[in-house]
Amino acid sequence: MKNLRRVLLFQIRDILLSYLLSLLVTYIFAGSRMFSNFETSFKYSLFGFLIAISLWKGNQFIGWIVSKKYPWNINPRLSLTINLLGAFVYSVIAISLVYFFIFQYLFNINFFERLSSIIPQMIVTLVISLLVTATFYIAIFFKWWRIATVNEERLKQEAIQLRYDALKSNVNPHFLFNSLSVLTSLVDTDAQKAKDFIQQFSNIYRYVLEQRDRELVPLQEEITFIKSFTNLHLIRHDNNLKVNIEVNDLSGLIIPLSLQILLENCFKHNIISEESPLLVRVWREMDYIIIQNNLQKRNTILEPGGVGLDTISKQFVHFSERKLEIVQTATHYTVKIPVLNNIK
C-alpha cells in the first residue's frame, strides 16, 4: 500500500509538472491570444498538456521496455542507440496523432488542409522533445559507461587473480614435492608410466601459462586439461582417489582453470586415505558442469592456498545471469558451474 501511494504521488507530480510545462511552451507558440477568453485558454492548455504528457510518459514507457530487453549495465552503447531510435519513432507518431486530434476535433480545423503551416510547429515540438529525451539518455549512458569501464577493469583483475590461484596451487611446494616423489618412484618401477606422468605434468603448466590473456575457453579444452590434472593425483593417491569425468557434451565456453580450482578444493579439503577413499564425479546437466565429492572434511588444510570460489563467482557475474551454485549435505559437497553458450 505504501509503495502504491508513492507511485500515485509520483504520477500526480508528473501530471502537474507536465501541465505547467505545457502552459509555458504553449504560451511561447500562441502568445497573448492564448488568454483571450476561457475557451481559448482551455483549448490551448489542453493542447500543450496532451503533447507534454504523451511525450513524457510515452517515452518513459518506451525506455522502460527497452531497458528490460537491452539493460544499460550490459551494453550501454547499444541501449543508448535503441532508446534514441525508439524515442524518435514514438515521438513522431505521438506528435502526429495529438496534432491531428487537436486540430481536427478541438479547434475544428481540417488538419490536412492546414498541414503546410502545421508541419513546422510539429518539427519544433519534435526537436524539443528529442533534445530533452536525448539529454536524459546520454546522462544514463555516461553513468553506465563509467560503471562498465570499472567492471571491465575489475574483471581483468579477477581473471588475473584466478590464474594466480591456479598457478599457485600448481607450484605449491607441497604439491611439487609430492609430484616429484611420485615421479622418482615411477622412474625406478615403470618407465612408461613415468614418461606419461612427465607429459601430463608439462601439459598442466603449459595450459596454465597459455590462459594468461583469455577470459573464456572452450569447454573441451578445459576438460582435456583437468584430465591431465586429475591423472597426476590419481597416480599419487592410487586407489584412495577415484575421479569419474562423464562429460559427453563438450559444447560451450567456460572460465579457464575454473574446473581445476574446484577439483583442487575437493582434494585439498577432504581426507584421502585407504580407509576413507575420496570419490569425485564430474558430469554435465543441461548448461551446468557439476562437480560432486563425498564429504569427509579434513580438520586442517594440508595445502594452503587461495580458495578461488569467490573469484570464480565474481567472474561469472560479468558473463551470465546464472551463478555458481553450491549445495552441501551431510554426505556430499556439490558445485554447479555454468557453461556459457551466449554471453549476456
Side-chain angles (χ1 to χ4, degrees):
M1 181 63 69
K2 187 176 181 180
N3 290 336
L4 178 60
R5 188 183 301 116
R6 185 166 62 242
V7 170
L8 289 175
L9 288 175
F10 282 150
Q11 297 304 317
I12 293 171
R13 180 205 64 183
D14 291 350
I15 290 172
L16 290 175
L17 287 174
S18 297
Y19 181 71
L20 293 175
L21 181 63
S22 68
L23 288 178
L24 176 62
V25 175
T26 305
Y27 179 74
I28 293 173
F29 282 112
S32 58
R33 71 175 182 273
M34 173 181 174
F35 303 106
S36 58
N37 56 65
F38 176 79
E39 182 181 358
T40 302
S41 298
F42 172 76
K43 289 181 178 180
Y44 273 111
S45 61
L46 178 61
F47 182 20
F49 174 73
L50 289 177
I51 286 289
I53 199 69
S54 62
L55 291 176
W56 185 351
K57 288 301 175 181
N59 279 312
Q60 189 179 71
F61 180 73
I62 294 294
W64 179 75
I65 292 294
V66 172
S67 66
K68 289 291 184 181
K69 183 68 175 177
Y70 304 98
W72 286 94
N73 61 316
I74 303 301
N75 191 334
R77 192 184 303 275
L78 178 62
S79 299
L80 175 64
T81 302
I82 295 176
N83 271 294
L84 289 178
L85 182 61
F88 174 78
V89 173
Y90 170 78
S91 297
V92 169
I93 295 173
I95 290 171
S96 300
L97 290 176
V98 171
Y99 267 80
F100 174 79
F101 172 80
I102 291 295
F103 276 85
Q104 196 76 28
Y105 300 104
L106 192 63
F107 291 142
N108 295 318
I109 296 174
N110 190 300
F111 176 79
F112 297 102
E113 289 182 356
R114 298 282 299 273
L115 192 59
S116 59
S117 62
I118 294 174
I119 284 180
Q121 297 180 34
M122 294 173 62
I123 292 175
V124 172
T125 305
L126 177 64
V127 170
I128 294 173
S129 173
L130 292 179
L131 283 175
V132 173
T133 305
T135 301
F136 175 75
Y137 284 139
I138 289 172
I140 296 177
F141 166 76
F142 279 111
K143 170 191 172 183
W144 284 107
W145 176 77
R146 186 173 64 252
I147 292 173
T149 302
V150 172
N151 287 341
E152 184 178 356
E153 186 60 32
R154 185 184 298 119
L155 174 62
K156 291 178 181 178
Q157 295 299 321
E158 289 168 357
I160 291 172
Q161 181 62 46
L162 181 62
R163 290 191 287 270
Y164 171 72
D165 288 343
L167 183 59
K168 184 168 63 174
S169 70
N170 289 322
V171 298
N172 183 286
H174 196 80
F175 173 76
L176 289 174
F177 174 78
N178 285 321
S179 297
L180 293 174
S181 296
V182 171
L183 179 58
T184 300
S185 64
L186 289 175
V187 168
D188 293 332
T189 58
D190 192 331
Q192 183 57 46
K193 207 169 187 179
K195 183 178 179 181
D196 293 339
F197 186 93
I198 293 172
Q199 182 61 50
Q200 292 168 355
F201 197 73
S202 66
N203 288 342
I204 289 175
Y205 286 98
R206 184 187 306 112
Y207 184 81
V208 171
L209 294 173
E210 284 175 350
Q211 307 317 310
R212 61 184 181 275
D213 296 321
R214 303 175 72 182
E215 295 180 346
L216 296 170
V217 296
L219 176 62
Q220 184 173 4
E221 291 184 17
E222 186 78 1
I223 293 297
T224 300
F225 165 64
I226 64 168
K227 286 180 179 178
S228 294
F229 176 75
T230 55
N231 282 338
L232 293 185
H233 287 272
L234 291 171
I235 293 172
R236 171 184 164 189
H237 293 289
D238 200 23
N239 293 325
N240 301 331
L241 173 65
K242 296 186 183 299
V243 180
N244 296 321
I245 300 176
E246 307 161 1
V247 181
N248 297 318
D249 182 359
L250 298 173
S251 61
L253 303 169
I254 200 165
I255 292 175
L257 307 172
S258 54
L259 297 184
Q260 186 245 327
I261 290 290
L262 298 179
L263 285 169
E264 180 72 18
N265 284 340
C266 293
F267 306 150
K268 186 189 302 181
H269 293 280
N270 291 279
I271 297 170
I272 305 176
S273 66
E274 187 176 351
E275 296 77 19
S276 302
L278 182 67
L279 308 176
V280 182
R281 184 184 172 213
V282 182
W283 75 97
R284 179 168 182 166
E285 284 185 5
M286 303 296 290
D287 288 331
Y288 282 90
I289 296 294
I290 304 173
I291 298 178
Q292 184 181 80
N293 63 272
N294 54 321
L295 192 61
Q296 40 196 40
K297 288 186 177 181
R298 296 181 188 270
N299 293 325
T300 58
I301 305 303
L302 298 181
E303 300 176 13
V307 174
L309 278 175
D310 185 56
T311 306
I312 296 171
S313 297
K314 289 178 180 177
Q315 279 203 281
F316 268 105
V317 172
H318 299 285
F319 296 114
S320 173
E321 295 179 353
R322 292 180 293 134
K323 300 179 180 179
L324 196 75
E325 298 180 18
I326 300 173
V327 179
Q328 181 174 327
T329 66
T331 58
H332 288 86
Y333 188 86
T334 306
V335 179
K336 299 175 66 177
I337 185 168
V339 176
L340 307 175
N341 295 315
N342 296 301
I343 300 175
K344 73 175 183 177

